[in-house]
Amino acid sequence: MGTTDGIDEEPWWHEGGAPLLGRDGELDLVAAWTARAFPPGGLLVVAGEPGIGRTALLRAAARRAERSGAVTAWVRAPGDRRPAAEAGVHWAAATARAVRAAVGHADACHAEPGRADAGAAAVAREPDGTVRSAAGLARALAAEAGLLRADRPLLLVVDDAHRLTTQALAVLHHLGSAGTAPGLAILCSARADTPAARPPQGDALRLGPLDAPTAARLLGTRFPGLSRRRRQEIAEAAGGLPLALVEAGAEEAHAGPGEQPNGAGPDPTPRIGPRLRRIHAERLRRLGPAGRSVLLAAACEPDPDVDELLAAAAALHGGPVPGTALDAAVRAGLLVLPPDGGAVRFRRRLDAVATLEAAGRRRPEAHAAWARTLADRPERALLHRATAAPGPDEAFARALEERHRRAVAVGTPVPGTALLDLAARLSADSRDRGRRHLLAAEHARALGRPGPTRHHLAAAAAERLTTADRTALHWLRTTATGCPPPATGTVGRLCADARRLAPDAADRAARLLLLAARLCHRGALGPAPAAEVLAALDALPPGGADEADGADEAGGADGSEGSGSVAAVRPAILALLDPAAAAGPLRRALERFDAAPDPHPVTHALILAEAAHALGEHTRAEEIDTRCLPHLHALGLHGLLPALHARRAAVATVRGDAEAVRQAAAALADCAEDTGRTAWRAPATAFEAMSAGLAGDSERALSAAERAEAEALRTGRVDVLAVSVAARAASAAGEGRHLAAYERLRRLFDPGDPAHRPAVALDLVAPFADAARRSDRRAEARRLLRGAEQYARPRPAPATRLQLAYAEAVLAPGEVRAALTDIAGSGELTGWPQLYALVHLAHGSALRRARRPAAARTSLRAAMEVFTALGQRRRALDVAAELRATGERPPRPEDTGPEQPRLSPQERRIADLAALGLSNREIGRQLDLSPRTVGSHLYRLFPKLGITGRAQIVHRLPIVAGPTAMLREVS
């Protein structure tokens, strides 16, 4: 029942018997001290700032002591204001009563009425009736405790010892002195900046803030509904203070009907709770007027230097402010003053929030004081002057909007939507106010802030908007959670709106057409909608400046990849819809990008990466994304990250890197959750399935693929459906079911199939050809690839060209070794490890069939090493079986176990394939054997394995087959 400056701590951090998070080390120290304190006695003070969790630690330590057999007695610091001469006596009497109650409770007996009070009074006075001194009170308490505790150790827990008077504190210190009270250990808490935290005898334990992982774990345990990003923001703002963490989390989790959790309100700043508010008010009271002026001035200007801060505080205070006022704020733990004389900052951001909240009407005065202090630096003074403005001021509004535009153009971080929000509030004209709210909404979406986005859209809708702004408002609302479902009607409306906007707002029209192109591309809507988009694009002027560099950071009309001027958007639209016409514009755009020192505006660079990726230039797209990523994080543009992570996952899929796909898919899923872009969940799930399929985790791959396909069919996302189908194929190939893998991948190449997706198909030509080769579907595969060549001609990227060359080599009738040797020796496979492994696998298999086992081993070893490095363990085991067929014995996990069956390389190869569920005919096609020969080998190896049928092979050779061999085939 402890308190922190009169505030009950228990409900906010340590409820009931719940474990205390993040204090295991401190609890162990207290337990070790308690073990040493019995029987000699002693005093341990747990010190820390308000809200750090002193009472919670005391409770946990007391419970641990009770489990060890000790009796615990709790004493609270008195809350009344007794005369100093009586305070020590009163506290000693209260302590005696607490000890009697604790011992009586532990012994399951009750004292007679009045006996406990009489014993407590006897402690307070000498036999002659005089009041005892502090030392006398301590000795009397020790004697009383010694009589009562019998043979059990007694732990006296004193909470908030800093609230004790001087005499009472002296009694406590005497009682905790060595030798005064054998068998009695005293554990107390005190605020760190008080004399109670520094006992003349005894030990002290200083509680510090929780580290970042523990703070996040605390929030995740107490408030599982908070998003990952919101937990990180609260943890960062709270600075590891448990009370701040829990109250801010509770404010979010218990948001009312008109409020939004997860920072989805108009202001995403974490909120403070009532206890922290009262603690902060008490700190402000202790600082005095000058100190409060220093603190408010620091809250109004980010990272000021000392001289500027003192000057602004003096202007606010109305007189000189001594340096001791700043020192007092530092000693109170509110401000941090760097030793090198750098910028002054708040120790915790929530302290700055509490300071501004408590300022009330003084806040405009503080900004006015800063405006006067920074009069010779107009750029920095602008925000303060505008904030202090008494009413609408169009000059300030234009200046703030222009400052926002310049910051975005050069890649300078801006304070969220604060500049545009203030510009809108200072706008006198309704149209200007609505336009600025739209700009703020676009920027909030690029920041990944759905709450502020909705707030500014609602504010814009209440104003008198122009036709262009009304159209932008409609599409911003339509794409609030990401790209809408692909539909021909949606594309037609986008093109019609773009044509209407083109004369006066060409850049906004270009952004609408980019959204339309994405819908055509993702939904495979056919040539007619694509032609409509291209015709509307041709009607646009070659460039535009109405919104250039102003809303570029805000994202495209779907809010996912960014917006840009007509010149920046045109190559991306062409790459998505007319790859043959995009090569020249893309090449020139890439040359300009390479010549620029920084990728700014960063959204133009992201659109360029999208165009390069659409044309199969995966390496260039990856280079651009890599350059942009640190800028996106530095600028806080989290709303632009999902498309980047989706491209990373797609490129990792082409490379066959299971772990890289998993990481990109996880990052995409996190971004979808953090930014409210629910439309990205399905692609994240599809790439999760792909990662599991490559890694050989068939159960997880099929589960994720089913979920992704259901969402893809519901929303018309053909691109998601194609990735999910490819994930199923990767899973089947890993299990050795190459016919099943082929049947799935052929869907991507078949124009009549709902999963037909040329862009994805061309990235998976090599796995498709490998599955066709190993399932004896060469002729049909050649026919399907001839139909796909029309999509490959405008994509002369190395990955596409090399995969087609590999397919031509392995699917052609007759000898393939020469062609594969040429591909392997070209030196172009370095960046494409999966293709490298497939080429060497096919080459080694051809050499083995040609009775050249020694030459085959070199290629097969290379293939096995690469598949292992890519995390494709099952494919590596498949290659290991090929190696055994050449007479080599590669290292295998099962070879280290006891009693391994001695099989010939050919028998082991057949056993592996049979364990994977292949029939005799399918095994024969893979090994160039007749079904009768396969059956004969199986008949001979059954006795060697100690089994009677092929269904038992999976149990005798579990490493190869695994449990997924028993999974039902899903068509």
Side-chain angles (χ1 to χ4, degrees):
M1 300 292 291
T3 63
T4 298
D5 293 340
I7 301 165
D8 190 6
E9 287 192 359
E10 183 186 5
W12 59 264
W13 194 24
H14 196 47
E15 297 178 345
L20 185 64
L21 295 178
R23 297 298 190 195
D24 293 340
E26 290 86 344
L27 278 174
D28 290 340
L29 289 174
V30 174
W33 175 86
T34 305
R36 291 197 309 270
F38 296 128
L43 170 67
L44 175 63
V45 180
V46 177
E49 62 181 306
I52 201 65
R54 302 187 306 264
T55 301
L57 183 69
L58 260 60
R59 287 190 173 280
R63 276 196 290 269
R64 184 178 288 191
E66 288 173 350
R67 289 194 296 269
S68 300
V71 178
T72 59
W74 275 80
V75 184
R76 295 182 61 184
D80 57 351
R81 297 183 177 275
R82 296 176 179 270
E86 301 179 14
V89 174
H90 172 72
W91 185 79
T95 302
R97 285 193 295 272
V99 171
R100 282 183 173 275
V103 173
H105 175 74
D107 293 340
C109 65
H110 299 280
E112 298 176 3
R115 180 177 175 182
D117 289 339
V123 168
R125 296 183 180 276
E126 298 284 359
D128 60 1
T130 59
V131 177
R132 297 182 189 272
S133 65
L137 289 170
R139 287 192 296 271
L141 273 174
E144 178 79 2
L147 290 173
L148 294 173
R149 68 178 181 83
D151 294 329
R152 302 179 64 184
L154 177 61
L155 178 65
L156 180 63
V157 184
V158 183
D159 198 14
D160 283 353
H162 58 272
R163 302 178 66 205
L164 294 174
T165 63
T166 303
Q167 187 186 30
L169 188 61
V171 175
L172 176 65
H173 288 165
H174 279 293
L175 190 62
S177 300
T180 301
L184 173 65
I186 304 174
L187 179 63
C188 68
S189 71
R191 216 173 56 202
D193 57 349
T194 62
R198 299 180 294 276
Q201 295 188 49
D203 302 299
L205 173 63
R206 178 69 179 265
L207 290 185
L210 301 177
D211 57 30
T214 303
R217 186 159 56 96
L218 172 61
L219 289 169
T221 302
R222 290 292 299 273
F223 311 106
L226 293 179
S227 69
R228 181 187 62 92
R229 180 183 181 187
R230 194 56 176 169
R231 292 197 298 268
Q232 292 176 345
E233 291 172 345
I234 292 176
E236 179 183 353
L241 187 69
L243 175 61
L245 287 166
V246 175
E247 284 205 329
E251 290 289 323
E252 296 278 346
H254 304 148
E259 300 175 302
Q260 297 290 337
N262 283 320
D267 183 4
T269 304
R271 292 171 286 185
I272 60 174
R275 298 180 182 89
L276 190 61
R277 190 177 292 112
R278 290 197 292 270
I279 290 175
H280 191 77
E282 175 62 20
R283 285 176 163 177
L284 289 177
R285 184 187 63 78
R286 292 174 181 164
L287 285 179
R292 288 194 291 271
S293 296
V294 170
L295 205 63
L296 179 55
C300 290
E301 171 68 13
D303 302 331
D305 63 40
V306 174
D307 294 337
E308 290 176 343
L309 177 59
L310 291 177
L316 175 61
H317 186 58
V321 172
T324 54
L326 176 58
D327 295 337
V330 173
R331 286 195 304 272
L334 294 170
L335 296 180
V336 176
L337 186 60
D340 57 357
V344 181
R345 60 179 178 83
F346 273 85
R347 184 182 174 196
R348 297 186 177 93
R349 190 154 57 91
L350 281 181
D351 289 331
V353 175
T355 301
L356 293 174
E357 182 181 294
R361 288 180 293 182
R362 289 197 73 202
R363 187 172 178 180
E365 298 175 8
H367 284 287
W370 270 110
R372 294 193 297 273
T373 303
L374 301 174
D376 57 339
R377 279 156 286 185
E379 280 293 317
R380 290 181 58 193
L382 172 62
L383 183 60
H384 296 293
R385 293 171 58 206
T387 304
D393 191 315
E394 183 60 26
F396 278 145
R398 283 196 301 270
L400 290 168
E401 183 181 349
E402 180 59 27
R403 179 172 172 179
H404 174 87
R405 292 177 184 276
R406 288 200 309 270
V408 168
V410 300
T412 302
V414 293
T417 60
L419 294 175
L420 293 173
D421 186 48
L422 183 55
R425 287 193 282 115
L426 292 175
S427 301
D429 183 74
S430 178
R431 286 186 293 271
D432 290 333
R433 190 161 49 248
R435 178 176 56 81
R436 286 162 181 153
H437 275 302
L438 282 177
L439 294 178
E442 290 181 330
H443 187 61
R445 189 176 51 182
L447 295 172
R449 298 289 186 186
T453 301
R454 288 192 296 267
H455 164 73
H456 286 292
L457 289 176
E463 305 295 341
R464 297 195 312 271
L465 299 177
T466 64
T467 301
D469 289 338
R470 185 67 61 183
T471 302
L473 174 65
H474 167 74
W475 289 110
L476 284 169
R477 282 179 162 174
T478 303
T479 59
T481 59
C483 196
T488 303
T490 305
V491 172
R493 288 192 294 273
L494 284 165
C495 292
D497 285 342
R499 290 180 184 276
R500 282 197 301 270
L501 295 179
D504 301 319
D507 289 285
R508 185 164 280 167
R511 295 199 297 274
L512 294 182
L513 292 179
L514 179 58
L515 171 58
R518 288 166 179 159
L519 294 179
C520 293
H521 187 68
R522 294 171 182 174
L525 298 182
E532 186 177 5
V533 175
L534 293 173
L537 178 65
D538 291 338
L540 292 180
D546 63 292
E547 298 292 336
D549 299 334
D552 284 346
E553 81 291 354
D558 65 327
S560 55
E561 290 88 351
S563 65
S565 64
V566 174
V569 169
R570 190 182 296 273
I573 295 176
L574 292 176
L576 293 170
L577 303 182
D578 188 5
L586 178 62
R587 184 182 65 256
R588 292 189 292 272
L590 288 172
E591 291 173 354
R592 290 193 298 270
F593 175 81
D594 293 336
D598 291 308
H600 293 303
V602 68
T603 46
H604 287 184
L606 291 176
I607 292 175
L608 184 60
E610 179 183 10
H613 183 75
L615 288 183
E617 296 284 353
H618 301 312
T619 303
R620 292 308 312 270
E622 190 174 44
E623 292 172 357
I624 298 170
D625 285 337
T626 301
R627 285 184 62 184
C628 290
L629 188 59
H631 295 280
L632 292 175
H633 285 297
L635 298 174
L637 299 177
H638 299 283
L640 307 183
L641 289 173
L644 183 148
H645 290 308
R647 284 193 293 273
R648 287 178 53 211
V651 175
T653 297
V654 178
R655 290 182 174 140
D657 192 334
E659 178 59 20
V661 177
R662 187 198 65 78
Q663 292 178 1
L668 179 57
D670 288 341
C671 284
E673 177 194 4
D674 295 343
T675 62
R677 303 292 176 79
T678 57
W680 287 105
R681 291 175 182 168
T685 306
F687 283 118
E688 177 192 349
M690 176 60 72
S691 169
L694 291 172
D697 189 348
S698 298
E699 184 176 357
R700 186 164 63 90
L702 296 179
S703 174
E706 286 176 1
R707 288 183 277 120
E709 288 168 2
E711 182 66 17
L713 293 173
R714 186 183 68 83
T715 59
R717 289 289 298 267
V718 178
D719 54 337
V720 174
L721 179 62
V723 175
S724 300
V725 170
R728 290 180 180 273
S731 175
E735 291 182 332
R737 296 185 294 110
H738 299 290
L739 179 59
Y742 171 80
E743 292 297 337
R744 279 157 175 72
L745 287 174
R746 74 178 299 280
R747 298 181 59 191
L748 307 183
F749 294 85
D750 185 357
D753 194 282
H756 176 57
R757 173 76 171 166
V760 177
L762 290 176
D763 285 338
L764 298 174
V765 166
F768 172 69
D770 177 68
R773 173 180 71 87
R774 305 178 76 172
S775 61
D776 198 18
R777 293 292 189 274
R778 290 180 173 84
E780 183 184 35
R782 287 197 302 271
R783 178 180 60 80
L784 291 172
L785 283 176
R786 280 196 296 271
E789 287 179 356
Q790 59 176 316
Y791 303 107
R793 292 191 193 98
R795 291 165 51 111
T800 303
R801 177 171 47 79
L802 290 170
Q803 290 195 74
L804 288 172
Y806 164 80
E808 183 179 359
V810 298
L811 297 180
E815 180 58 49
V816 301
R817 284 176 292 168
L820 291 173
T821 301
D822 293 341
I823 297 173
S826 66
E828 296 184 277
L829 297 177
T830 304
W832 311 106
Q834 179 172 251
L835 180 58
Y836 177 95
L838 290 174
V839 167
H840 283 78
L841 172 59
H843 188 248
S845 298
L847 290 172
R848 182 186 64 81
R849 288 193 299 270
R851 305 294 190 269
R852 296 180 55 189
R857 289 173 195 144
T858 302
S859 292
L860 292 174
R861 287 192 205 106
M864 186 175 70
E865 290 171 0
V866 173
F867 277 131
T868 302
L870 291 174
Q872 298 190 36
R873 181 173 175 272
R874 287 183 173 274
R875 297 298 293 265
L877 290 172
D878 188 20
V879 181
E882 285 270 4
L883 268 172
R884 281 192 297 275
T886 67
E888 181 166 321
R889 184 179 176 83
R892 298 175 55 92
E894 66 269 24
D895 285 343
T896 59
E899 301 180 4
Q900 291 299 322
R902 301 182 63 84
L903 304 178
S904 70
Q906 188 74 292
E907 287 174 336
R908 183 54 193 257
R909 174 66 170 149
I910 293 173
D912 287 346
L913 296 176
L916 291 172
L918 273 68
S919 66
N920 288 1
R921 186 176 299 278
E922 290 170 330
I923 296 174
R925 277 200 298 264
Q926 293 225 21
L927 302 181
D928 291 333
L929 301 173
S930 69
R932 184 184 297 275
T933 302
V934 173
S936 177
H937 277 292
L938 288 173
Y939 179 78
R940 288 195 300 270
L941 66 84
F942 284 169
K944 296 182 181 180
L945 296 176
I947 60 178
T948 58
R950 67 193 303 144
Q952 297 171 300
I953 297 178
V954 68
H955 304 294
R956 193 68 178 94
L957 303 174
I959 297 297
V960 175
T964 54
M966 309 302 292
L967 288 175
R968 179 175 58 87
E969 177 77 4
V970 181
S971 62

